[in-house]
Amino acid sequence: MERTTVLITGCSSGIGLGLAARLAADTAGRFKGKGVTLCRGVRHRRGSPRQLVPGGGLWLVPAVQLGSTAAPRPCSLPPVYATMRDLAKGDRLLERLGGCCPDTLEVLQLDVTDPCSLAAAAQRVQEQQLDVLVCNAGVGLMGPLETCSDQAMKTVFDVNLFGAVRTIQAFLPAMKRRRAGRIIVSSSIGGLQGLPFNSVYCASKFAVEGLCESLAIVLQPFNIHLTLVECGPVNTSFLANLQHPDPEGSELQGLDAETRDLYHRYLRHCQSLFHDAAQEVEDVLQVFLEAISTPCPPLRCVTTQLFAPLSRLRLASPDSTMYVRAMHDFVFGHGEAGGDQP
């Protein structure tokens, strides 16, 4: 496989961080660059191989272990661009790489909700051919619909849907001119089927699914492959970081007692599901790597079969009545639905 250049959004944690580290450290040389990497906001201190010091500008980081006295080689462009909204969180990525900023990696500031930020990142990357764009930035929102504020709902759509749209718009024209490239979008099981107390999040992911399926049809003659990676529960900080009302807080006080009880039961279900069935990041990364390396990747890749029976039931029931009942029973526990539960 020839040297491949990849840009990934949402690399401050979780899947994005893991994928950037995995590609930058690729031992097969598929993502190898030359020289030094220009890392914005990260500075190394000589004599302290694993100590990373935040900086305010652009710092040349040699492609050797930090603390080395070797002279830097001529600068060239790296094949892995790891982007994140807050560069202060870039230390996590470099620490994952053992305190070394290799010549395969450049950390860029990119906020998918800010057109100016996207334009700056696109201008930086346009100096070389971008082969793979991974739209991974995303946020969650959980809780009874009555508790979701307009601002919280707008934020979810601004990041999950419009953020993906803006990112694709920024890099798609160059791929079209070359008539080559691939776009990988982090989606969710929640983009394929409704999940209780995730109405707004699922709505944003349903929209992403429609966006990508429609776009894939147009991109076919351009030799640009678009793949949705649909994840289930994954052991990341996503669940802990998503916005949701405190089950004992004031936000729920105006709700009816039955909805409050269902929400409490759903939270217990989530804890159990993540404890017993969540995938590790490394398992999910393998799906992304296959989407990057496969000559003709599919439109959809599901990372887990946990919800497969419910997915089949949703497709088999024309009016989705059986699915709604089965999902309710699966989450809230009122016995099996048709004997076909995950």
Side-chain angles (χ1 to χ4, degrees), residues 189-199 202-203 206 314 323 327 331:
I189 294 296
L192 299 174
Q193 54 199 58
L195 304 174
F197 294 113
N198 281 271
S199 303
C202 287
F206 266 66
R314 183 174 182 271
Y323 168 77
M327 177 59 83
V331 173

Side-chain angles (χ1 to χ4, degrees), residues 92-108:
R92 301 175 187 174
L93 174 57
L94 297 182
E95 287 167 1
R96 176 72 66 88
L97 291 165
C100 174
C101 185
D103 62 350
T104 53
L105 177 69
E106 179 171 341
V107 181
L108 292 177

Side-chain angles (χ1 to χ4, degrees), residues 3-8 20 23-25 29-40 59-63 74-83 93-94 97 101-108 121 124-132:
R3 178 177 177 271
T4 301
T5 302
V6 185
L7 183 140
I8 311 164
L23 294 179
R30 293 168 295 181
F31 305 92
K32 289 293 182 183
K34 294 180 179 179
V36 300
T37 298
L38 200 59
C39 292
R40 183 187 179 100
W59 301 92
L60 287 175
V61 183
C75 182
S76 71
L77 295 167
V80 179
Y81 292 94
T83 76
L93 174 57
L94 297 182
L97 291 165
C101 185
D103 62 350
T104 53
L105 177 69
E106 179 171 341
V107 181
L108 292 177
R124 168 61 184 160
V125 175
Q126 74 178 0
E127 298 178 37
Q128 74 171 31
Q129 172 179 304
L130 181 65
D131 300 296
V132 181

Side-chain angles (χ1 to χ4, degrees), residues 161-173:
L161 175 61
F162 296 114
V165 171
R166 294 186 195 99
T167 305
I168 293 171
Q169 287 176 328
F171 297 99
L172 182 58

Side-chain angles (χ1 to χ4, degrees), residues 41 48 51 55 63 71 81 89 122 170 178 183 195 203 220 228 230 232 238 277 279 303 317:
S48 302
Q51 191 166 13
Y81 292 94
K89 298 179 179 179
R178 293 198 327 271
I183 301 167
L195 304 174
Q220 189 171 19
L228 288 150
E230 291 139 347
F238 182 82
Q279 291 180 285
T303 68
S317 175

Side-chain angles (χ1 to χ4, degrees), residues 143-147 197 245-268 332:
L145 185 62
E146 301 94 314
T147 67
F197 294 113
D246 182 348
E248 306 301 332
S250 59
E251 293 176 276
L252 300 183
Q253 296 308 310
L255 282 176
D256 59 277
E258 189 170 0
T259 301
R260 288 201 304 270
D261 178 65
L262 287 170
Y263 182 54
H264 280 80
R265 288 158 64 185
Y266 176 71
L267 292 177
R268 291 196 296 270
F332 302 112

Side-chain angles (χ1 to χ4, degrees), residues 57-187:
L58 294 169
W59 301 92
L60 287 175
V61 183
V64 292
Q65 184 70 20
L66 300 185
S68 168
T69 58
R73 292 169 288 171
C75 182
S76 71
L77 295 167
V80 179
Y81 292 94
T83 76
M84 59 192 70
R85 182 178 59 85
D86 183 2
L87 283 176
K89 298 179 179 179
D91 288 2
R92 301 175 187 174
L93 174 57
L94 297 182
E95 287 167 1
R96 176 72 66 88
L97 291 165
C100 174
C101 185
D103 62 350
T104 53
L105 177 69
E106 179 171 341
V107 181
L108 292 177
Q109 194 279 334
L110 195 161
D111 180 351
V112 299
T113 68
D114 181 358
C116 293
S117 174
L118 263 166
Q123 183 176 10
R124 168 61 184 160
V125 175
Q126 74 178 0
E127 298 178 37
Q128 74 171 31
Q129 172 179 304
L130 181 65
D131 300 296
V132 181
L133 172 65
V134 182
C135 298
N136 174 70
V139 295
L141 177 64
M142 186 173 71
L145 185 62
E146 301 94 314
T147 67
C148 298
S149 68
D150 282 356
Q151 185 56 52
M153 292 188 285
K154 288 176 181 177
T155 297
V156 169
F157 272 83
D158 200 22
V159 176
N160 294 357
L161 175 61
F162 296 114
V165 171
R166 294 186 195 99
T167 305
I168 293 171
Q169 287 176 328
F171 297 99
L172 182 58
M175 289 185 174
K176 280 186 170 180
R177 286 192 295 270
R178 293 198 327 271
R179 306 188 78 83
R182 60 186 62 195
I183 301 167
I184 301 170
V185 179
S186 291
S187 186

